[in-house]
Amino acid sequence: MDYFMEPTGVAIIGASQDFKTINGKILKYLLKHKYQGQIYPVNPKYREIEGLPCYPSVDAIPERVDLALIAVAAARVPGILRDCGAKKIKRAVIFSSGFSETGSEGKKIQEEIIKIAQEFEMRLIGPNCLGVLNVSTGLIASFSASMELDSIKEGPVALVSQSGAVGFLLFNLLQDAGVGVNYVITTGNEADVTVSEGLAYLVENPSTKVILTYLEGLRDGETFKRTIEKAAEAGKPIIALKVGNSASGQKAAATHTAALTGSGAAYKSYFDKMGIIQAKDSDDIIDLAQAFVPGKLPKGARLGIVTMSGGVGILLADRLEEVGLQVPQLSEALQEEVRKVIPAFGCAQNPVDVTAQSLNEGEEFKKCLKILLESDELDMLIVAITMATGKLAEKIGRDVAEAALETDKPLVVCWSVGQVAKPGFDVLKDAGIPLYHSPARAAKVMGVLYNYARFKDGWKTTVAEKINIPRQTKVQNALKESNKALSEHATKELLELYGLPVTKEYVAKSAEEAVAIAENMGYPVVMKIDSPDILHKTEAGGVAVNINSAQSVEATFNEVMKRALNYNPQAKINGILMQEQVPAGVEAIIGLQRDPVLGTQIMFGLGGIFVEVFKDVVLKPAPLSREDALEVLNQIKGGALLNGVRGGQPADKEALVEILLGVSQLAVEAGEDLLSLDINPVTVLAQGRGAKILDGVLVSSGLDNN
Amino acid sequence: MDYFMEPTGVAIIGASQDFKTINGKILKYLLKHKYQGQIYPVNPKYREIEGLPCYPSVDAIPERVDLALIAVAAARVPGILRDCGAKKIKRAVIFSSGFSETGSEGKKIQEEIIKIAQEFEMRLIGPNCLGVLNVSTGLIASFSASMELDSIKEGPVALVSQSGAVGFLLFNLLQDAGVGVNYVITTGNEADVTVSEGLAYLVENPSTKVILTYLEGLRDGETFKRTIEKAAEAGKPIIALKVGNSASGQKAAATHTAALTGSGAAYKSYFDKMGIIQAKDSDDIIDLAQAFVPGKLPKGARLGIVTMSGGVGILLADRLEEVGLQVPQLSEALQEEVRKVIPAFGCAQNPVDVTAQSLNEGEEFKKCLKILLESDELDMLIVAITMATGKLAEKIGRDVAEAALETDKPLVVCWSVGQVAKPGFDVLKDAGIPLYHSPARAAKVMGVLYNYARFKDGWKTTVAEKINIPRQTKVQNALKESNKALSEHATKELLELYGLPVTKEYVAKSAEEAVAIAENMGYPVVMKIDSPDILHKTEAGGVAVNINSAQSVEATFNEVMKRALNYNPQAKINGILMQEQVPAGVEAIIGLQRDPVLGTQIMFGLGGIFVEVFKDVVLKPAPLSREDALEVLNQIKGGALLNGVRGGQPADKEALVEILLGVSQLAVEAGEDLLSLDINPVTVLAQGRGAKILDGVLVSSGLDNN
């Protein structure tokens, strides 16, 4: 990416002196924002443009060129790329539309340019993108009207977007909010460079402190995941605006786990685990970017409010409670301190009402902020300002900015009035103090800062157990051999390799064998048809429970066999599975679902109506740590059921944790060969008595193509 | 309220020629915004101020004065009020602080001014408020800095707020968003005039089309409810920003129903029922106000998106799905029409991508909007604009405004860029086109418009059944006699008056009587201690089920009696309740909870873990219509359980509806005497087999003082 972001010279193919055209704008903005490298306009029509020598073709440029900017019609792009390749230009940004986004014709041209790039070892950004910015060097390689700004505020926020329009509107909103930006990368059709590579560059980049990204879908999951892991490791916040339903989720929606979790769930669970902050809106992502710029995170959840309106204080407190923060009562001693610097009719309790009057003059307001920021009773502060105009607004802004710059606690301003208070807004923006024009927005970012701080403190890479190679080989072979779902028995045999507590069970080929097994196992027993061709055993009449005698076993054997053949005369039948009958307990479901981009996710829910009616399930990316597994049990809404309610005994959570960890290890070892697993149900017995997997089905990725 | 809002002349007590003081500002703003009535400054220090004669006292004013504006120190207010009363001034706005909000000293002065007002038949607004505005007459009776605006845009939005600061910051935000306002009323401490009276004035006022209100708590529930009913009847939208936890909810939190629903729930359910639109933030209420100003509501849920960025289109579609709207595919015929007016590389499918180019010149963009607005495939339109500056932004604004003004379908603009596009924003604001700077906000208001349209179409007053006077008398007497909770048996006797299916049961005074009852009723039976002093029967060991023989009845009788007396030796014991044992079914809970302001709410939930673990309950204000009752059953998350899941039979919903209606009628007839009712559980049998109330407790309002 360095050649893209730090080129020593750029060629503008088809450069124009008409600054209203796209090619003209690219040149215009490079000049306007004082690009520090060489600019080589290329256009046979001109000798020079704006005092720069203009070349008839790229090979006529005498110096080395790192980057070509191409915004000509799609059909001309392949020829130009070859010229660039011949000139040994190693990077090109292709703005042009008319490629794969327009249909099969464009797709062909896109494939052609990919081949050319490979041939010349050239990397491409785009096509169908809005270019890249490196603000510090004035590399404003874009024709977005956002570049009309007189000057660009430089700062620690970088932006990488799959959509050019969204990328640059976010850039514009950031600038409008006074947030400085260093890099913008828009990747468009991603014929070559992906959003993940852009992210990787920014995560490594030392001048980037906060990364924003707009994502529609990812193709290179491995790069993405490696990058995200690095960001988590470095504690560099990534704020994502992810749109569209997860295509992978839709693809695999045939399986139970995917159907229960719905589209987008894989992204959500992955983002949650990796501390990626999820924005829902353009407003939102800008709000969040502002909050992270000062680089201050709260040490706890205790928030102070300074306000001049009781009403705004209550509104803030309502919203803060929703995001899980506390607005604690202040100690008598602290209130005493506060009372000295606020008017008599103010309120020294949290929310602290300093009254509108105290703002007018003097040092009291600033002193009050300082007292609260220095107190060890509060971890962060919202200053809620109401009506103020002109000079007064400016003074308030200055007081707040000074207090904010002296503290390492997060301080944000909630100032819900219009442009009348602009002088105050400007002071805050210049000082880099996060400024929100409504209470809910200020409250929300504080909640996010707090959660991110907890994530950062608790972050550690989840390392899977060592891979057991012989076991892995067995599992992978079993999955590869089966071009579809494994039978219950075959599934359980694999689960058993991971020490999972499957039911005791044996396949009986004949009625006599069945009786012998039952006599040996003890009654009651469960009998199930065992056939790779009959997945829906109950539907086929292939399940019988509570079988209590040898006589009954014999009769059931014959009956179940008959029903199975009736159901599917072609079915290959292995026999009847003779299974121990497990006493009643809490029923749970544990599943696995492989997302082709983000990898395998583990699902947990309580069985029956809890997943079917209440959709009460949790997803978490594999591998799981022991803490992850425990968290999963507590995250479901019905988690209390495992603790025993209404006189019930607590269930054996430890046994569930062990199953989750085993399933996690299976996911790691099975890798891409595994599409999904449903363990449904597992019966969880009372604490200390374990759990039993009653049924399960593993599906190999072979099914993927169905 | 007319004298407040349309006075022919106002006196400013303590008027000042120093426009930096509060009293000076009140005069300044009346002059600045050209108040059309007479202004009478009152201050012995001056002969005239700004060319107006200044009077030494109110009685020196020669003409009639409708309204006094008072912003002097609290201690001086009573004297001034008496002077005003003597001068026959019938209305006063008291801005001053230092009353009940500051403690017992201020409370006394507030009580004094209430007495004075009663004595002189004078009405008061405030104290501790920021005054009132009537924009059309220039009655700018406030000292809020919001009045510094050069001119105030007049329009159909009115605002009534319990907080002065919040009221005027919302006013300022409305003006900033280009939304015209006609009235603002801030009620402060509400010594006399309440927010409900303000609402009532605005609901009746023909020039007010949209009402915003900021509420902390209500005291005159009857006025409020009458007003809200009128607004619903008239289809006049009220948008409320309700803050703080419901005090009433906290007060009654001792009862089961209140504890389950939590604070604020009564407001939410009442607002839902009455179509009051609930804002969560200052941003939100301004967004919503804008959306309602054009007075256009969608006829259906089908929304068209016109965009110039695929990314913004997807983001909008994501958020629209969340608010329950559809972004339908367009018919081939309509796409054909659209294709004629968009560039070849645009997209005629919804979201329609007109591309940035098509905006530049010509009529195509406007034509495209027109085609979509005229189509019968869409009910509303979001126009999502990305980057555009200067003249282009202005042209886009004009095109959209023209298209919007020609249609009766809602059209809003989502324009997520900064101030570079201001010329476009200004055109839209001037034309009154709702403008949002982010996709989620545009999507949200469309969802609210759609829901309000459905509310308006479906609105009808719920009329309770005719009151059965003898029954009402019985119920009220029973509640009055009991200064606390009624016993199970007494509760059921009252429920039976409403035809509710309580268990067959008789009180046995002796073991022999118990046996006789059981023999007559048939086995098995349930036996419960019957004592007004033992509410927690199970805890007292006072419940036995599955009693199957005469012998067992006898033994149980003695055992239960012994345990009860052990539990509470002082308990007055009526005997043992002999009850039919009801077969298993779906367990539900039905409750009643009286909110002192909003009246009685009915609660419904499924029993056991569903209310305890999942908090799956619904509240609805009484009285219920039959449709309400059915809706309640479907609104709980576990509603599907009543339809029969996993092979279960559907439950008798009709029987539940009848119980809900009976409980609703009980609420109406019992009125204020009833604090709460818990029917817990009611067993719902299979369809056609009815339901049985197993246990219940009515609590009279006597408990209120506990």
Side-chain angles (χ1 to χ4, degrees):
Chain A
M1 292 292 296
D2 276 348
Y3 283 117
F4 279 116
M5 304 313 289
E6 315 272 352
T8 55
V10 299
I12 305 173
I13 313 300
S16 167
Q17 61 187 6
D18 177 358
F19 282 179
K20 286 194 180 130
T21 65
I22 288 177
N23 279 312
K25 281 181 185 162
I26 294 173
L27 176 58
K28 172 184 170 186
Y29 297 140
L30 280 169
L31 293 170
K32 180 182 168 105
H33 297 291
K34 304 197 174 51
Y35 172 51
Q36 294 168 5
Q38 293 299 316
I39 305 175
Y40 306 101
V42 177
N43 193 333
K45 280 200 272 181
Y46 308 106
R47 283 299 175 106
E48 69 161 67
I49 300 178
E50 297 280 319
L52 293 170
C54 184
Y55 302 91
S57 61
V58 285
D59 67 340
I61 303 173
E63 283 98 18
R64 196 187 89 178
V65 177
D66 287 336
L67 177 63
L69 304 177
I70 304 174
V72 301
R76 288 184 52 212
V77 172
I80 285 167
L81 274 188
R82 280 182 212 283
D83 294 349
C84 291
K87 169 70 185 160
K88 299 213 173 354
I89 301 178
K90 291 299 181 197
R91 299 290 182 272
V93 173
I94 305 171
F95 300 91
S96 327
S97 303
F99 292 83
S100 69
E101 82 281 7
T102 57
S104 58
E105 201 56 33
K107 211 166 194 165
K108 264 187 228 154
I109 318 183
Q110 185 157 324
E111 279 157 17
E112 193 183 345
I113 64 171
I114 294 172
K115 270 200 206 110
I116 297 168
Q118 283 163 348
E119 186 184 327
F120 290 99
E121 293 182 340
M122 185 189 264
R123 301 291 317 265
L124 309 177
I125 284 183
N128 189 28
C129 78
L130 273 177
V132 301
L133 310 186
N134 174 348
V135 176
S136 70
T137 63
L139 177 76
I140 305 303
S142 177
F143 60 88
S144 164
S146 310
M147 304 307 118
E148 293 290 341
L149 295 171
D150 290 335
S151 71
I152 296 176
K153 181 169 177 178
E154 195 182 339
V157 177
L159 185 56
V160 52
S161 170
Q162 291 186 310
S163 155
V166 174
F168 280 95
L169 74 80
L170 294 180
F171 165 78
N172 182 268
L173 290 172
L174 286 169
Q175 292 282 306
D176 220 58
V179 178
V181 174
N182 52 13
Y183 299 98
V184 177
I185 304 169
T186 65
T187 54
N189 289 5
E190 302 195 344
D192 178 11
V193 171
T194 63
V195 72
S196 305
E197 287 177 85
L199 279 170
Y201 177 76
L202 299 171
V203 167
E204 299 282 356
N205 180 281
S207 72
T208 299
K209 305 292 180 208
V210 182
I211 300 171
L212 310 190
T213 183
Y214 166 90
L215 300 174
E216 291 177 0
L218 294 170
R219 288 170 309 151
D220 50 351
E222 286 315 310
T223 309
F224 183 75
K225 290 198 289 179
R226 248 192 337 266
T227 302
I228 297 306
E229 185 100 13
K230 269 188 198 153
E233 195 65 49
K236 195 179 271 197
I238 296 179
I239 310 170
L241 186 55
K242 166 77 179 76
V243 302
N245 294 329
S246 151
S248 53
Q250 286 160 357
K251 193 174 170 188
T255 71
H256 197 63
T257 300
L260 275 173
T261 53
S263 56
Y267 274 94
K268 191 180 173 318
S269 94
Y270 180 77
F271 284 10
D272 280 347
K273 170 164 180 168
M274 300 305 294
I276 297 180
I277 298 140
Q278 292 158 77
K280 295 278 271 181
D281 195 15
S282 52
D283 265 6
D284 218 19
I285 196 168
I286 305 302
D287 285 354
L288 292 164
Q290 278 195 69
F292 279 96
V293 166
K296 297 170 186 174
L297 293 175
K299 305 243 184 309
R302 302 164 309 164
L303 190 140
I305 300 174
V306 174
T307 178
M308 39 234 62
S309 150
V312 173
I314 306 174
L315 180 50
L316 268 169
D318 280 5
R319 295 294 90 82
L320 286 162
E321 191 185 273
E322 289 169 2
V323 300
L325 296 181
Q326 301 152 17
V327 182
Q329 300 276 305
L330 306 183
S331 69
E332 257 313 314
L334 184 53
Q335 288 189 50
E336 200 46 53
E337 285 289 291
V338 168
R339 252 179 236 117
K340 288 179 194 156
V341 293
I342 64 172
F345 48 97
C347 169
Q349 194 38 277
N350 195 11
V352 173
D353 190 341
V354 297
T355 81
Q357 254 126 309
S358 90
L359 303 174
N360 285 314
E361 43 203 31
E363 298 286 304
E364 268 65 27
F365 174 54
K366 202 162 71 190
K367 276 187 196 152
C368 176
L369 297 179
K370 226 175 137 160
I371 290 168
L372 294 170
L373 286 167
E374 282 171 5
S375 144
D376 57 9
E377 297 177 28
L378 296 171
D379 303 304
M380 49 193 145
L381 199 66
I382 293 182
V383 183
I385 309 165
T386 49
M387 188 44 69
T389 63
K391 288 249 174 280
L392 175 60
E394 204 180 316
K395 177 189 180 291
I396 296 172
R398 261 198 327 270
D399 283 351
V400 176
E402 283 172 27
L405 295 175
E406 280 172 17
T407 177
D408 58 358
K409 291 179 183 171
L411 179 156
V412 308
V413 176
C414 162
W415 200 337
S416 327
V417 296
Q419 289 301 310
V420 286
K422 190 168 180 299
F425 301 165
D426 288 344
V427 171
L428 292 170
K429 282 184 194 177
D430 287 346
I433 313 301
L435 168 63
Y436 305 101
H437 297 297
S438 85
R441 291 166 72 171
K444 177 173 178 171
V445 299
M446 284 304 209
V448 173
L449 285 181
Y450 173 65
N451 287 334
Y452 187 76
R454 288 203 304 176
F455 162 77
K456 198 173 160 182
D457 287 345
W459 168 253
K460 55 175 188 281
T461 309
T462 313
V463 187
E465 275 173 57
K466 233 181 86 190
I467 285 178
N468 176 329
I469 305 272
R471 181 170 67 186
Q472 181 178 42
T473 312
K474 255 189 220 165
V475 169
Q476 291 184 341
N477 286 345
L479 288 168
K480 276 189 189 114
E481 273 165 33
S482 159
N483 196 26
K484 48 188 175 181
L486 271 68
S487 76
E488 172 181 349
H489 192 55
T491 296
K492 284 178 173 170
E493 280 178 336
L494 292 184
L495 295 179
E496 224 175 347
L497 297 178
Y498 292 84
L500 301 191
V502 299
T503 43
K504 212 181 331 165
E505 62 190 33
Y506 306 91
V507 180
K509 302 278 186 191
S510 66
E512 295 91 67
E513 217 182 327
V515 170
I517 292 168
E519 293 285 329
N520 194 25
M521 200 150 59
Y523 297 99
V525 294
V526 173
M527 296 172 68
K528 293 176 176 174
I529 191 73
D530 180 16
S531 161
D533 301 317
I534 300 178
L535 282 182
H536 302 290
K537 296 186 286 280
T538 306
E539 196 183 300
V543 179
V545 299
N546 254 327
I547 314 294
N548 260 312
S549 66
Q551 211 176 0
S552 197
V553 167
E554 196 175 333
T556 305
F557 187 96
N558 297 325
E559 178 63 25
V560 166
M561 278 292 191
K562 204 174 78 189
R563 282 199 219 124
L565 285 170
N566 246 337
Y567 179 76
N568 180 357
Q570 265 72 53
K572 174 179 175 285
I573 292 178
N574 298 332
I576 299 277
L577 203 56
M578 305 296 299
Q579 217 167 68
E580 67 173 315
Q581 180 152 330
V582 177
V586 178
E587 288 201 352
I589 294 184
I590 292 175
L592 269 184
Q593 183 62 40
R594 196 179 149 70
D595 181 287
V597 176
L598 298 172
T600 304
Q601 316 250 339
I602 292 170
M603 187 204 72
F604 174 73
L606 294 177
I609 49 169
F610 300 105
V611 293
E612 283 172 26
V613 176
F614 288 90
K615 313 285 179 216
D616 184 20
V617 296
V618 172
L619 265 195
K620 225 178 192 66
L624 301 183
S625 66
R626 189 164 287 271
E627 296 83 54
D628 287 338
L630 260 174
E631 195 178 282
V632 156
L633 302 186
N634 295 327
Q635 273 176 339
I636 56 165
K637 294 189 203 80
L641 292 171
L642 292 171
N643 302 330
V645 285
R646 297 172 72 79
Q649 283 180 291
D652 199 328
K653 283 176 146 186
E654 195 45 47
L656 271 179
V657 166
E658 291 299 331
I659 298 178
L660 285 166
L661 291 174
V663 164
S664 164
Q665 190 65 17
L666 165 65
V668 171
E669 293 182 2
E672 296 189 359
D673 295 325
L674 177 69
L675 180 65
S676 75
L677 163 68
D678 278 341
I679 294 180
N680 180 13
V682 48
T683 294
V684 195
L685 302 170
Q687 201 158 29
R689 298 191 48 214
K692 279 279 181 187
I693 292 170
L694 301 196
D695 202 348
V697 55
L698 269 163
V699 181
S700 84
S701 303
L703 255 191
D704 215 346
N705 305 318
N706 273 18
Chain B
M1 291 292 296
D2 275 349
Y3 282 117
F4 279 116
M5 304 313 289
E6 315 272 351
T8 54
V10 300
I12 304 174
I13 315 300
S16 168
Q17 61 187 7
D18 177 357
F19 282 181
K20 286 195 181 129
T21 66
I22 287 178
N23 280 311
K25 280 182 186 163
I26 293 172
L27 177 58
K28 173 184 169 187
Y29 297 140
L30 280 170
L31 292 170
K32 179 182 169 105
H33 297 292
K34 304 196 173 52
Y35 172 52
Q36 294 168 6
Q38 293 299 316
I39 305 175
Y40 306 102
V42 177
N43 194 335
K45 280 199 271 179
Y46 309 106
R47 281 301 173 105
E48 70 161 64
I49 302 178
E50 297 281 317
L52 292 170
C54 185
Y55 301 91
S57 62
V58 285
D59 66 340
I61 302 173
E63 283 98 19
R64 196 187 89 179
V65 177
D66 288 336
L67 178 63
L69 304 178
I70 303 172
V72 300
R76 287 185 50 215
V77 172
I80 285 168
L81 272 188
R82 281 183 212 283
D83 293 347
C84 290
K87 167 69 187 163
K88 297 211 174 354
I89 301 179
K90 292 297 181 199
R91 300 288 183 273
V93 173
I94 305 170
F95 299 90
S96 328
S97 303
F99 292 84
S100 68
E101 82 281 9
T102 57
S104 58
E105 201 57 32
K107 212 166 193 166
K108 264 188 226 152
I109 317 182
Q110 185 158 324
E111 278 157 17
E112 192 183 349
I113 64 172
I114 294 172
K115 271 201 206 111
I116 298 168
Q118 284 163 347
E119 186 185 326
F120 290 98
E121 292 183 340
M122 185 188 265
R123 300 294 316 266
L124 309 178
I125 285 182
N128 190 26
C129 77
L130 272 177
V132 300
L133 310 186
N134 174 349
V135 176
S136 69
T137 63
L139 177 77
I140 305 303
S142 177
F143 60 87
S144 163
S146 311
M147 303 305 118
E148 292 290 342
L149 295 172
D150 291 334
S151 72
I152 295 176
K153 182 168 175 179
E154 195 182 340
V157 176
L159 186 56
V160 52
S161 170
Q162 291 185 311
S163 155
V166 174
F168 281 96
L169 76 81
L170 293 180
F171 165 79
N172 182 268
L173 290 172
L174 286 170
Q175 293 283 305
D176 220 57
V179 177
V181 173
N182 51 15
Y183 298 97
V184 176
I185 303 169
T186 66
T187 55
N189 289 5
E190 302 196 345
D192 178 12
V193 170
T194 63
V195 72
S196 306
E197 286 177 86
L199 279 169
Y201 177 75
L202 298 172
V203 167
E204 299 281 357
N205 180 282
S207 73
T208 299
K209 306 291 182 209
V210 182
I211 300 170
L212 310 190
T213 184
Y214 166 89
L215 301 173
E216 291 178 0
L218 293 170
R219 288 170 308 150
D220 50 350
E222 286 314 311
T223 309
F224 184 74
K225 290 199 286 178
R226 247 191 341 266
T227 301
I228 297 306
E229 184 101 12
K230 267 187 199 155
E233 193 67 49
K236 195 179 272 197
I238 295 179
I239 310 170
L241 186 55
K242 166 77 180 75
V243 301
N245 294 329
S246 151
S248 53
Q250 285 160 356
K251 194 173 170 186
T255 71
H256 196 63
T257 300
L260 276 172
T261 53
S263 57
Y267 274 93
K268 191 181 173 319
S269 95
Y270 180 77
F271 284 8
D272 280 347
K273 171 165 179 169
M274 301 305 291
I276 297 179
I277 298 140
Q278 292 158 76
K280 295 278 271 181
D281 194 17
S282 53
D283 265 5
D284 217 20
I285 195 169
I286 305 301
D287 286 355
L288 290 164
Q290 278 196 66
F292 278 97
V293 166
K296 297 170 186 175
L297 293 175
K299 305 243 184 312
R302 301 164 309 166
L303 188 141
I305 300 174
V306 174
T307 177
M308 39 234 62
S309 149
V312 174
I314 306 174
L315 179 50
L316 268 169
D318 280 4
R319 294 295 90 80
L320 285 163
E321 191 185 89
E322 287 168 2
V323 299
L325 297 180
Q326 301 151 19
V327 182
Q329 299 277 302
L330 306 182
S331 69
E332 257 314 312
L334 183 53
Q335 288 189 51
E336 200 45 54
E337 284 289 292
V338 169
R339 254 180 234 116
K340 288 179 195 156
V341 293
I342 64 172
F345 48 97
C347 169
Q349 195 38 277
N350 195 12
V352 173
D353 190 341
V354 297
T355 81
Q357 253 127 311
S358 90
L359 302 174
N360 285 316
E361 43 202 33
E363 297 286 304
E364 268 65 27
F365 174 53
K366 202 161 72 189
K367 276 187 194 152
C368 176
L369 297 179
K370 226 173 139 163
I371 290 167
L372 293 169
L373 286 167
E374 283 172 3
S375 144
D376 57 10
E377 297 176 28
L378 297 171
D379 302 305
M380 50 193 144
L381 199 67
I382 293 182
V383 183
I385 308 166
T386 50
M387 189 40 71
T389 62
K391 288 250 174 280
L392 174 60
E394 202 180 320
K395 178 189 179 288
I396 294 172
R398 261 198 327 269
D399 283 351
V400 175
E402 282 172 27
L405 296 174
E406 279 171 17
T407 178
D408 58 357
K409 292 179 182 171
L411 179 156
V412 308
V413 176
C414 163
W415 200 336
S416 328
V417 296
Q419 291 299 312
V420 286
K422 189 167 182 298
F425 300 165
D426 288 344
V427 172
L428 292 170
K429 282 183 191 175
D430 287 345
I433 314 300
L435 168 63
Y436 305 101
H437 296 297
S438 86
R441 291 166 71 172
K444 176 171 180 174
V445 298
M446 283 306 209
V448 172
L449 285 181
Y450 173 66
N451 287 334
Y452 188 76
R454 286 204 305 178
F455 162 77
K456 197 173 161 183
D457 288 345
W459 167 253
K460 55 177 190 281
T461 309
T462 312
V463 187
E465 274 173 59
K466 232 182 89 191
I467 284 176
N468 176 329
I469 305 270
R471 180 170 66 185
Q472 181 178 41
T473 312
K474 255 190 221 164
V475 169
Q476 291 184 341
N477 286 345
L479 288 168
K480 275 187 190 117
E481 274 163 31
S482 160
N483 196 26
K484 48 187 176 180
L486 272 69
S487 76
E488 172 181 350
H489 192 55
T491 296
K492 284 178 172 170
E493 282 178 333
L494 293 184
L495 295 180
E496 224 174 349
L497 297 178
Y498 293 84
L500 300 191
V502 299
T503 42
K504 213 182 330 165
E505 64 189 34
Y506 307 90
V507 180
K509 303 275 184 194
S510 66
E512 296 91 66
E513 216 181 329
V515 171
I517 292 168
E519 293 284 328
N520 194 24
M521 201 151 59
Y523 294 101
V525 295
V526 173
M527 294 173 68
K528 293 176 175 172
I529 191 74
D530 180 15
S531 161
D533 301 317
I534 300 178
L535 282 182
H536 303 289
K537 296 186 286 277
T538 306
E539 196 182 300
V543 178
V545 300
N546 254 326
I547 313 295
N548 260 310
S549 65
Q551 210 175 359
S552 196
V553 167
E554 197 176 330
T556 305
F557 188 96
N558 297 326
E559 178 63 24
V560 167
M561 278 293 193
K562 203 174 78 189
R563 283 199 218 124
L565 284 170
N566 245 337
Y567 179 77
N568 180 356
Q570 266 70 51
K572 173 179 175 285
I573 293 179
N574 298 331
I576 299 278
L577 203 55
M578 305 296 299
Q579 216 168 67
E580 67 174 313
Q581 180 151 329
V582 177
V586 179
E587 287 201 354
I589 294 185
I590 292 175
L592 269 185
Q593 184 61 41
R594 196 178 148 71
D595 181 286
V597 175
L598 298 171
T600 305
Q601 314 250 339
I602 293 171
M603 187 206 71
F604 174 72
L606 293 178
I609 50 168
F610 300 107
V611 293
E612 283 172 26
V613 176
F614 288 89
K615 313 285 179 214
D616 185 20
V617 296
V618 172
L619 266 195
K620 227 178 188 65
L624 300 183
S625 66
R626 189 166 287 272
E627 297 83 54
D628 288 339
L630 260 173
E631 197 178 281
V632 156
L633 303 187
N634 295 326
Q635 273 176 341
I636 56 165
K637 294 191 203 79
L641 291 171
L642 292 170
N643 302 328
V645 284
R646 297 173 70 81
Q649 284 180 292
D652 198 328
K653 285 176 142 184
E654 193 45 45
L656 271 179
V657 166
E658 291 300 331
I659 297 177
L660 285 166
L661 291 175
V663 165
S664 163
Q665 190 65 18
L666 165 64
V668 172
E669 293 182 1
E672 297 189 359
D673 294 326
L674 177 68
L675 180 64
S676 74
L677 163 67
D678 277 341
I679 295 180
N680 181 15
V682 48
T683 295
V684 196
L685 303 171
Q687 199 159 32
R689 298 192 48 216
K692 278 279 181 188
I693 292 170
L694 301 196
D695 201 350
V697 55
L698 269 162
V699 181
S700 84
S701 303
L703 258 190
D704 216 346
N705 305 319
N706 273 18

